[in-house]
Amino acid sequence: MLQYHFFTPKPPPPPLLRLIRHEDSTPLTSEEISRALSKSSNTSTPGPEHIPYSVWKSGPRLKPSLLPSLLDPLLAHGFHPPSLKKALGIVLDKLGKPSYDSPSSFRVIVLLRTLSKILERVVTACLSAQATTCSLIHPLQCGSLPGRSTADAALVLQHNVESFHRLRYKVSTLFLDVKGGFDNVESASLLSLLRRKGVCPYLVQSVSSFLRDCTCRLTFQESPHTFAPVSVGVPQGSPISPLLFVIYVSSLHLQVPRSLIIS
């Protein structure tokens, strides 16, 4: 019941093409790996493999070629191995519930493999670089991109409201929220959008591979300790999921006269 409640099956992504080395991919450098590791916290709880980020951060010092030699072939072939997509789902009680007979009385924290998240950060950086040139996102998308935060959105909103007030205009603001956004990303539509926008094939292939064949093992008292398939959109807790989500919903930003839309 918990597995179905939190990971309600969705249509799987389109089948992967034959794995080939993409000529458009560039060799993965130690600097790219270092940037990905710098955004990883040593205090983050690791996934099923129990390898913390501190282990991977010591790798470049002991053997600089270790991580590039592991991850570069995966990136060049657009392949995210199923072994890296095994997650651990920690089931926690929601406090103050009168009854715990329903899955809705619990919440799940998903712990992903640290090596997988390093690769996901590298793909995120590559895809972010194409987000503007390929018009993947709304021009006023704040958040989920380097150098743009929620604070920027708040400042833009405040500036425009105050500017119109000085001109004695009346201003109304409408806030919309997408409930369960990550869970409701339809993989086939997302991949089709990336291809139409001209994203590099190796990145499209990497995203497609990343979204396929995910598994999760729920952990609670007397849990079965078995991995079950998961296909619910984009994974919670992944570094690339926020970017994939804002790309997926970019077409929802309609052109409204005399308005400003901030995402």
Side-chain angles (χ1 to χ4, degrees), residues 124-136:
T124 302
C126 297
L127 193 57
S128 295
Q130 296 192 24
T132 303
T133 56
C134 295
S135 301
L136 296 177

Side-chain angles (χ1 to χ4, degrees), residues 128-258:
S128 295
Q130 296 192 24
T132 303
T133 56
C134 295
S135 301
L136 296 177
I137 57 171
H138 187 264
L140 285 180
Q141 170 63 45
C142 299
S144 304
L145 287 171
R148 303 188 193 183
S149 67
T150 307
D152 296 317
L155 290 171
V156 170
L157 177 62
Q158 179 183 1
H159 169 76
N160 280 272
V161 169
E162 292 176 350
S163 297
F164 281 113
H165 279 173
R166 283 194 295 270
L167 297 174
R168 298 186 181 280
Y169 284 110
K170 293 183 178 180
V171 182
S172 298
T173 306
L174 175 65
F175 294 94
L176 299 177
D177 182 32
V178 180
K179 183 178 181 181
F182 286 9
D183 292 350
N184 291 295
V185 172
E186 209 280 314
S187 303
S189 299
L190 172 63
L191 296 171
S192 176
L193 174 63
L194 295 177
R195 293 189 183 98
R196 289 200 313 271
K197 293 290 187 177
V199 174
C200 292
Y202 81 96
L203 290 177
V204 179
Q205 184 87 345
S206 296
V207 173
S208 176
S209 180
F210 169 66
L211 296 176
R212 294 186 61 85
D213 304 321
C214 298
T215 57
C216 183
R217 186 183 75 197
L218 292 181
T219 300
F220 54 93
Q221 188 175 3
E222 300 180 6
S223 62
H225 295 291
T226 56
F227 286 93
V230 171
S231 58
V232 291
V234 293
Q236 296 280 352
S238 167
I240 197 174
S241 292
L243 177 59
L244 294 179
F245 174 71
V246 298
I247 292 173
Y248 183 71
V249 299
S250 60
S251 61
L252 296 180
H253 301 93
L254 305 178
Q255 295 296 325
V256 182
R258 299 176 65 185

Side-chain angles (χ1 to χ4, degrees), residues 42-62:
N42 290 344
T43 60
S44 295
T45 306
E49 85 289 19
H50 304 299
I51 301 177
Y53 283 116
S54 56
V55 172
W56 298 116
K57 288 182 179 181
S58 65
R61 185 179 68 255
L62 300 175

